[in-house]
Amino acid sequence: MEHVPFERSVDLPPYRAILAVDAKGFTAEPGSTHEAISKSLLDLVGDALNGAGLHAEWERPAFLGPTGDGFAVGLSTRVLPYLVDPFPRLLQQRLAEHNRQARARLQLRVSLHVGPLPADPENPHWTGNGDSRNDTHRLLDSAPVKAVLAAASPRVTFVACIFSDRVFEDVIVAGYAGMQPDHCLPVTATVDGKAFSRQAWLYLPEVSGNLLGVLPSTPTSPSVAARPAQPKISGPRVKRNDGQVATTVESMTQHRGGDR
């Protein structure tokens, strides 16, 4: 029987770790190179996941959905701590190796979320759809992570991560991941033209020097204000070549046209 929402109860699907990856500037590359870039993206992420000890999970994901310039993959919630650390650091290192030899440098945005999703590992490309996956893609496309990667040096910073608040609280603050919470920057994730606004957390495994000027401001979100050890920060303020100081992460998106 087809499920009709709100009329009767059904089983809640298992919770999944949802990892999404997107290549900055993909559409600016010649169309003839897109397939090769997409394949190298899967290989690079796979290498980093294997290096994090997640070979079995990568070989048999709950779901895997390519998006042309990226993909989303569903994995066991058990491995969420390893997706926080060391996966981003290993991906940064792998990209550094790749970019030393590649014609075009790759910079990747990574989002990480968790939530209930159906899945069929026997047909991974045709399953795993739901609100939690949609939110993962919204985080990936949000203004803060796009802006910080656009502002970062393409010769140093190859990965920009955005974690959902649930991942931050349940995995990082709770001490399951090998990362101090202070490595993350609180931001409000919004997407142009979408009714989407979420508390989220930026993390850069390798910070380029022009992103180091971070200025705190008064907390505005109750969920952030409740964490005295995690002050609300408006976003990186970046020195431009003319010596001027750019505005917050959200404004940088406007300055750069939401560069991907």
Side-chain angles (χ1 to χ4, degrees):
M1 181 184 299
E2 183 179 353
H3 172 54
V4 179
F6 314 116
E7 289 196 1
R8 65 183 182 88
S9 297
V10 297
D11 291 350
L12 183 70
Y15 275 61
R16 320 279 181 186
I18 312 152
L19 177 74
V21 180
D22 187 86
K24 174 182 176 288
F26 179 85
T27 55
E29 294 297 320
S32 59
T33 68
H34 287 185
E35 186 171 350
I37 293 174
S38 295
K39 183 180 183 304
S40 67
L41 183 59
L42 283 167
D43 291 341
L44 290 163
V45 171
D47 287 348
L49 289 171
N50 291 337
L54 305 181
H55 175 78
E57 286 76 14
W58 178 238
E59 285 293 306
R60 189 174 169 81
F63 61 82
L64 176 63
T67 61
D69 55 355
F71 63 88
V73 60
L75 303 169
S76 166
T77 57
R78 177 185 63 82
V79 305
L80 271 168
Y82 310 102
L83 295 175
V84 170
D85 182 83
F87 168 70
R89 292 188 290 105
L90 295 174
L91 184 59
Q92 165 73 27
Q93 293 169 13
R94 185 66 186 87
L95 281 165
E97 297 169 2
H98 173 271
N99 288 344
R100 280 195 290 269
Q101 305 171 16
R103 178 188 64 83
R105 288 189 178 95
L106 282 177
Q107 288 179 286
L108 303 182
R109 302 193 309 275
V110 175
S111 63
L112 185 61
H113 188 32
V114 59
L117 285 176
D120 180 4
E122 300 301 325
N123 297 284
H125 303 307
W126 300 99
T127 187
N129 297 307
D131 289 340
S132 298
R133 183 167 174 180
N134 293 341
D135 286 349
T136 307
H137 285 288
R138 295 286 184 263
L139 288 172
L140 192 66
D141 290 336
S142 66
V145 69
K146 280 189 172 184
V148 78
L149 195 58
S153 167
R155 294 175 294 277
V156 175
T157 300
F158 307 125
V159 177
C161 300
I162 185 164
F163 303 137
S164 71
D165 198 44
R166 183 173 297 171
V167 168
F168 182 78
E169 290 286 354
D170 293 351
V171 180
I172 300 174
V173 173
Y176 289 104
M179 176 195 294
Q180 287 287 344
D182 287 345
H183 281 293
C184 299
L185 175 74
V187 294
T188 300
T190 59
V191 180
D192 288 345
K194 303 289 185 181
F196 179 84
S197 180
R198 298 285 190 278
Q199 172 71 37
W201 300 81
L202 286 180
Y203 167 61
L204 301 180
E206 185 75 32
V207 180
S208 42
N210 61 320
L211 297 178
L212 294 178
V214 178
L215 301 178
S217 64
T218 304
T220 56
S221 167
S223 62
V224 177
R227 308 182 187 106
Q230 300 293 328
K232 177 66 176 178
I233 301 177
S234 60
R237 299 176 69 87
V238 181
K239 289 278 188 175
R240 299 201 311 239
N241 291 336
D242 58 4
Q244 299 297 316
V245 178
T247 52
T248 62
V249 163
E250 288 79 3
S251 297
M252 283 192 285
T253 300
Q254 298 175 3
H255 293 166
R256 300 168 189 274
D259 184 28
R260 293 187 61 152

